[in-house]
């Protein structure tokens, strides 16, 4: 069974930084997409950043480009999200997710529909 587990998050003042980590287990790490999504009450889950575990192609939402950096440590089945210059609108529950192997659809890397396995989420709060 594929499991993904987030860590990190917390509260920070606007302009600050946080780092999120996600570890996947239960299957081979290669050949899939790993993504970060965030959600606030009453809103749909929004794709923030995604990475192809084979090849390393990266995708960002326009709202975080230049501020967030996604990376991976394939040897540890781990994905990271460095979040800098945080804004209050970055607040929300952040979820790590992965597709099935070969389940990453081109041009849909930030769409929650293609992700099969989800973590429990970690809260990020940015105070103004």
């Amino acid at each position: 069974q594929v499991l993904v587990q987030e860590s990190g998050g917390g509260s920070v003042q606007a302009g600050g930084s946080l780092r999120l980590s996600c570890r996947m287990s239960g299957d081979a790490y290669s050949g899939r997409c790993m993504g970060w999504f965030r959600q606030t009450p009453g809103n749909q889950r929004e794709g923030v950043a995604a990475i192809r575990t084979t090849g390393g192609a990266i995708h960002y939402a326009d709202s975080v480009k230049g501020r967030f950096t996604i990376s991976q440590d394939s040897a540890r089945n781990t994905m990271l999200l460095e979040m800098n210059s945080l804004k209050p609108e970055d607040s929300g529950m952040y979820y790590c997710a992965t597709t099935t192997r070969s389940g990453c659809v081109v041009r849909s890397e930030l769409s929650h529909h293609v992700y099969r396995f989800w973590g429990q989420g970690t809260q990020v709060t940015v105070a103004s």
Side-chain angles (χ1 to χ4, degrees):
Q1 180 182 359
V2 175
L3 296 175
V4 288
Q5 178 64 55
E6 308 96 341
S7 61
S11 298
V12 67
Q13 293 290 318
S17 299
L18 285 172
R19 187 191 203 198
L20 304 182
S21 179
C22 172
R23 187 175 185 280
M24 195 208 86
S25 61
D27 196 2
Y29 185 74
S30 61
R32 64 180 74 239
C33 273
M34 297 282 292
W36 288 102
F37 295 79
R38 66 186 178 197
Q39 189 170 24
T40 53
N43 293 309
Q44 282 198 338
R45 209 162 281 192
E46 171 196 16
V48 174
I51 188 166
R52 286 186 175 268
T53 59
T54 299
I58 286 172
H59 305 268
Y60 293 106
D62 288 343
S63 59
V64 306
K65 283 180 181 176
R67 300 188 298 120
F68 289 14
T69 302
I70 190 171
S71 62
Q72 63 183 350
D73 181 346
S74 299
R76 293 179 171 81
N77 291 2
T78 298
M79 173 179 66
L80 303 171
L81 186 68
E82 299 279 353
M83 304 185 293
N84 298 313
S85 302
L86 282 162
K87 305 175 181 180
E89 52 264 41
D90 293 319
S91 297
M93 187 69 77
Y94 280 68
Y95 296 91
C96 171
T98 184
T99 64
T100 59
R101 297 193 79 197
S102 302
C104 193
V105 179
V106 174
R107 291 187 292 277
S108 295
E109 291 86 352
L110 293 177
S111 172
H112 69 277
H113 298 289
V114 303
Y115 288 79
R116 176 80 175 273
F117 306 100
W118 294 82
Q120 295 297 309
T122 185
Q123 180 68 37
V124 170
T125 302
V126 184
S128 57

